[in-house]
């Protein structure tokens, strides 16, 4: 991940990663959920959903994803990236 300050006082947060299918079967790829939280208070500062890089991954394959979120409030020192929708 990468964070850059903006003139507004907020930040630009950019993340990239890879979705991997380690199985021998084709797998659906759900949306990717990113959350920026405050480690001390356990509060979520900002969350967003990233479109999957592919709808389906072939066996033993992978796909890269990138996301940039603008005007993320300052704060938050813990980034969590998960597959699937919010619970």
């Amino acid at each position: 991940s990468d964070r850059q300050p903006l003139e507004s006082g907020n930040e630009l947060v950019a993340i990239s990663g890879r979705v991997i299918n380690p199985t021998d079967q084709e797998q659906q790829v759900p949306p990717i959920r990113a959350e920026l939280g405050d480690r001390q208070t356990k509060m979520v500062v900002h969350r967003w959903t990233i479109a999957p890089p592919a709808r389906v991954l072939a066996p033993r394959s992978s796909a890269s994803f990138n996301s940039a979120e603008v005007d993320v409030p300052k704060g938050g020192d813990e980034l969590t990236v998960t597959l699937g929708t919010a619970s």
Side-chain angles (χ1 to χ4, degrees):
S1 68
D2 180 41
R3 295 171 78 156
Q4 297 177 11
L6 300 173
E7 286 186 29
S8 67
N10 290 341
E11 296 180 325
L12 166 76
V13 176
I15 63 172
S16 61
R18 198 162 194 77
V19 179
I20 300 168
N21 177 5
T23 72
D24 291 326
Q25 296 179 343
E26 187 176 84
Q27 298 289 326
Q28 297 284 327
V29 181
I32 301 163
R33 186 176 59 171
E35 287 186 349
L36 186 60
D38 184 299
R39 187 177 294 131
Q40 188 173 15
T41 65
K42 305 295 183 203
M43 300 291 292
V44 174
V45 174
H46 189 73
R47 70 171 49 111
W48 68 100
T49 301
I50 303 164
R55 291 184 177 253
V56 175
L57 280 181
R60 308 264 178 220
S61 69
S62 64
S64 297
F65 68 89
N66 296 295
S67 175
E69 192 73 359
V70 179
D71 265 351
V72 174
K74 273 189 159 181
D77 51 7
E78 191 168 68
L79 177 66
T80 305
V81 179
T82 55
L83 294 176
T85 57
S87 46

